[in-house]
Amino acid sequence: MATTEDKSQAFAATAVRRSIAYLVYTGGEIVAPPRRIGPLRGATAVGREVATGIVLPTDRKASRHHATLHASPTGAVRVVDEQSRNGTWVNGERVADKVLADGDVVTIGDSLVVVRDEPTDVGDAEVAALIGHGLAMRTVRAAIARVAPTTATALVLAETGCGKELAARAIHERSRAAGPFVAVNCAAIPDSLAESQLFGQLAGAFTGAVARPGLVRAADGGTLFLDEIGELSPAIQPKLLRFLQDRAVLPVGATAPVACDVRVVAATNRDLRADVDRGSFRADLYARLAELPLRIPPLRERREDILALVRHALGAAPPRLTPALAEAIVLHRFPFNVREVQALAAQLRLAAGDAVLDLPHAGELLSARAAPPTEPPDSYDGGGGGGDRDKPPDRAELEALLRTHKGVVANVARAMQRSRKQVYRWIEQHGLDVAAYR
């Protein structure tokens, strides 16, 4: 049997990297927290009975020595299949020898490994609300710990559903401020009421006006969280800038400012720099808000955390997930981030009476379609019912499926409810190039 010693030693030409492997699923179980292996150096064997490396003793579909991860002197990593029974897959595509990119998902038997570049170790901090074990979330928590004790304004940059308010609350709690945490959704404040709602008003300031302190003074001694700051009315932006500079508010109808000791944390899912360039957001306000910028990465940039988040969202005694469902979850892009994880967990909890959850239990929330929990038979129904189950798809049918699923053979196999091995055989029979459909 040929081993990796007999194979090409070509590596990707890259800068020096520090690669880490995260085992996130094996033997029918989510690994939470993920098992962290690395930094990878030299050859790391992966299999059910390897002496050292990534051992998968409970994975019955993994071969004894299934694959090897090779780390070059520069840190680049490639995976080599060691003539395994069930093949080695990267991001749903079968491979024999492939250089891995940051965030690639390697499927070995019924186990999932996420390979990440972690060039530095930034430390960590205790922020219970922000779950994550990879470098990305460790970086966020460590940054919160550095930012919180200061009085500077912080700007949290993140897509929707990433936990911007959780990060703001963590800054407030670690600051040991005695005052309250006041959250304001800037997108929900009508332009005509924005000034009085934020800065307050005096009785009689306008017809029917009663005295109100405003949201800024409501946070006195504490933290004011301005969510969706990019939606703030242009007319209010200079008034907010004045408050940030003077730490005093001028209520509507007043002639003298009122001092206010408030820590401000703002957040947005917009590109404020682009808004500044377009003239829709003040450059001087942006500079004041972004004294301490803090970026929370989207979930697609930290796949090592996805299954642990799903397990946490499922609650106590979570049901088991089939390998097909676990792989589909890790490969899903989660455009709505952690909020979408919570929606998926709610959908899965509806089927919690089942001992093991499979792809159909996820409904339409995942892009991949339903597949049996084990490798399906090597036959195809051709869309015509049971009498045509042994009829393979013709070239046009297979091409249509490859176009629909953008050349991802794992998704084609799920849609057909057939094994990836069988789909690859049909692709070879018809002489198709999978790369042409991506």
Side-chain angles (χ1 to χ4, degrees):
M1 176 186 296
T3 70
T4 54
E5 296 301 319
D6 305 314
K7 299 176 182 177
S8 169
Q9 294 299 311
F11 294 100
T14 65
V16 175
R17 295 160 49 182
R18 183 173 178 268
S19 296
I20 305 293
Y22 287 90
L23 179 64
V24 299
Y25 179 92
T26 188
E29 301 285 352
I30 294 173
V31 183
R35 180 183 162 201
R36 187 173 182 272
I37 302 102
L40 298 176
R41 295 186 177 89
T44 302
V46 188
R48 198 177 66 254
E49 296 181 9
V50 294
T52 60
I54 305 176
V55 187
L56 311 170
T58 60
D59 187 343
R60 296 181 179 179
K61 286 186 65 179
S63 298
R64 287 181 294 178
H65 182 185
H66 195 111
T68 304
L69 297 174
H70 289 276
S72 77
T74 65
V77 176
R78 84 182 204 279
V79 62
V80 176
D81 182 74
E82 301 290 2
Q83 299 185 10
S84 64
R85 290 176 302 161
N86 296 304
T88 298
W89 310 76
V90 176
N91 302 331
E93 178 183 349
R94 187 165 188 168
V95 301
D97 186 335
K98 184 176 177 63
V99 175
L100 300 175
D102 180 36
D104 276 350
V105 180
V106 183
T107 304
I108 293 173
D110 280 340
S111 300
L112 299 171
V113 175
V114 181
V115 176
R116 298 305 315 266
D117 287 352
E118 296 189 0
T120 58
D121 192 349
V122 297
D124 203 346
E126 180 62 33
V127 182
L130 296 176
I131 298 172
H133 304 279
L135 177 66
M137 289 310 294
R138 297 201 309 273
T139 301
V140 170
R141 290 192 295 262
I144 287 173
R146 292 194 303 270
V147 165
T150 73
T151 59
T153 302
L155 178 62
V156 182
L157 305 167
E159 294 180 4
T160 183
C162 283
K164 294 187 288 293
E165 184 167 345
L166 293 177
R169 286 186 179 275
I171 292 172
H172 170 70
E173 290 165 2
R174 293 183 70 98
S175 70
R176 304 188 185 280
F181 177 89
V182 177
V184 180
N185 184 348
C186 295
I189 302 178
D191 288 355
S192 60
L193 301 177
E195 185 173 4
S196 61
Q197 285 197 15
L198 285 172
F199 306 118
Q201 63 192 32
L202 298 184
F206 51 85
T207 303
V210 296
R212 289 198 178 96
L215 293 167
V216 174
R217 279 195 285 169
D220 193 20
T223 302
L224 179 70
F225 174 51
L226 297 174
D227 197 10
E228 306 300 346
I229 189 67
E231 307 296 332
L232 193 65
S233 165
I236 299 300
Q237 291 180 25
K239 295 179 173 64
L240 177 60
L241 176 62
R242 173 61 64 184
F243 161 68
L244 292 173
Q245 290 173 339
D246 298 344
R247 298 296 164 171
V249 298
L250 184 67
V252 175
T255 57
V258 180
C260 192
D261 178 20
V262 173
R263 167 73 176 276
V264 174
V265 178
T268 183
N269 59 9
R270 297 172 60 115
D271 184 350
L272 285 188
R273 291 295 296 267
D275 289 346
V276 169
D277 293 340
R278 285 191 294 267
S280 59
F281 200 86
R282 293 179 63 103
D284 47 5
L285 178 57
Y286 171 78
R288 181 69 68 169
L289 290 171
E291 289 176 343
L292 294 172
L294 175 66
R295 179 180 179 269
I296 303 178
L299 203 49
R300 63 182 174 274
E301 293 182 12
R302 49 189 186 101
R303 295 188 182 280
E304 66 274 19
D305 293 333
I306 292 176
L307 285 177
L309 283 166
V310 170
R311 189 181 188 281
H312 176 79
L314 286 171
R320 299 179 68 187
L321 311 182
T322 65
L325 177 55
E327 182 185 46
I329 289 173
V330 175
L331 291 177
H332 186 58
R333 287 186 62 79
F334 286 97
F336 305 111
N337 296 294
V338 179
R339 191 169 292 137
E340 191 173 356
V341 168
Q342 293 167 343
L344 174 62
Q347 178 75 34
L348 294 176
R349 280 196 299 269
L350 294 176
D354 294 351
V356 180
L357 300 183
D358 197 10
L359 270 165
H361 295 114
E364 297 299 316
L365 294 179
L366 299 178
S367 58
R369 292 298 179 254
T374 58
E375 279 291 289
D378 289 344
S379 58
Y380 172 56
D381 184 353
D388 294 328
R389 283 194 67 82
D390 295 325
K391 179 183 176 182
D394 60 30
R395 183 186 179 93
E397 289 175 310
L398 194 53
E399 284 186 308
L401 284 164
L402 286 168
R403 279 194 295 271
T404 298
H405 296 282
K406 299 180 180 179
V408 179
V409 175
N411 290 352
V412 172
R414 293 187 183 102
M416 300 172 74
Q417 297 194 14
R418 293 297 170 263
S419 72
R420 289 176 289 190
K421 291 183 289 186
Q422 178 63 76
V423 173
Y424 269 106
R425 282 197 287 269
W426 288 331
I427 288 170
E428 291 174 3
Q429 289 169 10
H430 289 301
L432 299 175
D433 179 9
V434 172
Y437 299 90
R438 293 174 185 153

